[in-house]
């Protein structure tokens, strides 16, 4: 299980101040979406087109 951090802006990324984070595993990814199996048992589908960076 890893913590996955989401940054909406470059400033958040530079300052290491993520918008939010999820604990889980990346199941799949493509140009537009990231699928995460979260620690709570739910699957999260994240639209990465609206994010500056995702770090895991």
């Amino acid at each position: 299980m890893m913590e996955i951090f989401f940054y909406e802006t470059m400033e958040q990324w530079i300052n290491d101040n993520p918008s939010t984070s999820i604990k889980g595993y990346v199941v799949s990814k493509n140009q537009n979406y990231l699928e995460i199996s979260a620690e709570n048992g739910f699957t999260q589908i994240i639209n990465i087109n609206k994010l500056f960076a995702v770090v895991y």
Side-chain angles (χ1 to χ4, degrees):
M1 189 89 32
M2 66 178 109
E3 192 157 6
I4 304 164
F5 299 97
F6 301 91
Y7 301 88
E8 292 181 52
T9 66
M10 181 172 55
E11 290 79 20
Q12 287 178 336
W13 181 70
I14 290 170
N15 295 323
D16 193 23
N17 183 23
S19 298
T20 191
S21 67
I22 296 175
K23 287 188 180 178
Y25 298 104
V26 174
V27 176
S28 67
K29 60 183 175 177
N30 65 30
Q31 258 183 303
N32 302 309
Y33 296 98
L34 185 65
E35 181 180 350
I36 298 169
S37 178
E39 70 178 344
N40 61 8
F42 291 104
T43 298
Q44 306 291 330
I45 306 293
I46 309 296
N47 181 343
I48 58 175
N49 289 328
K50 308 227 180 235
L51 296 172
F52 176 75
V54 177
V55 178
Y56 56 95

